[in-house]
């Protein structure tokens, strides 16, 4: 039987646990794959608060860029 991750919303919680620090560590590890190496070098995952991922960016231009990319980032 294959595991269908798209139909199992608790998949990540079962694998990595539900502790906030574990979720943040997982998101930090996945960030470069979601945004690519160039953006990952210029940004930093800093917090996960009530389902909102907080990213540190170097300036307002990067903030606007990430906001425009958020759909693609979430899909990845």
């Amino acid at each position: 039987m294959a595991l269908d991750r798209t139909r199992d919303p608790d998949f990540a919680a079962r694998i990595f646990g539900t502790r906030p620090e574990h979720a943040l560590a997982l998101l930090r590890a996945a960030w470069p794959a979601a945004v690519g190496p160039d953006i990952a070098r210029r940004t930093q995952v800093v917090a996960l608060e009530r389902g909102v991922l907080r990213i540190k960016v170097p300036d307002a231009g990067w903030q606007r860029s990430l906001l425009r990319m958020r759909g693609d980032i979430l899909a990845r």
Side-chain angles (χ1 to χ4, degrees):
M1 180 174 145
L3 182 59
D4 185 356
R5 292 174 288 193
T6 61
R7 294 179 188 250
D8 186 357
D10 296 323
F11 177 75
R14 284 200 329 271
I15 302 263
F16 299 103
T18 58
R19 295 179 63 187
E21 60 271 18
H22 291 173
L24 187 58
L26 175 61
L27 289 166
R28 284 182 175 143
W31 184 245
V35 298
D38 291 334
I39 294 172
R41 275 193 299 275
R42 292 172 174 85
T43 60
Q44 179 183 1
V45 175
V46 293
L48 179 62
E49 302 164 346
R50 295 185 195 114
V52 176
L53 186 59
R54 303 281 176 202
I55 306 297
K56 182 177 179 181
V57 296
D59 57 44
W62 276 102
Q63 183 180 14
R64 286 189 300 274
S65 293
L66 283 183
L67 284 172
R68 283 192 303 269
M69 296 174 56
R70 68 181 162 205
D72 291 334
I73 293 170
L74 287 169
R76 289 185 213 138

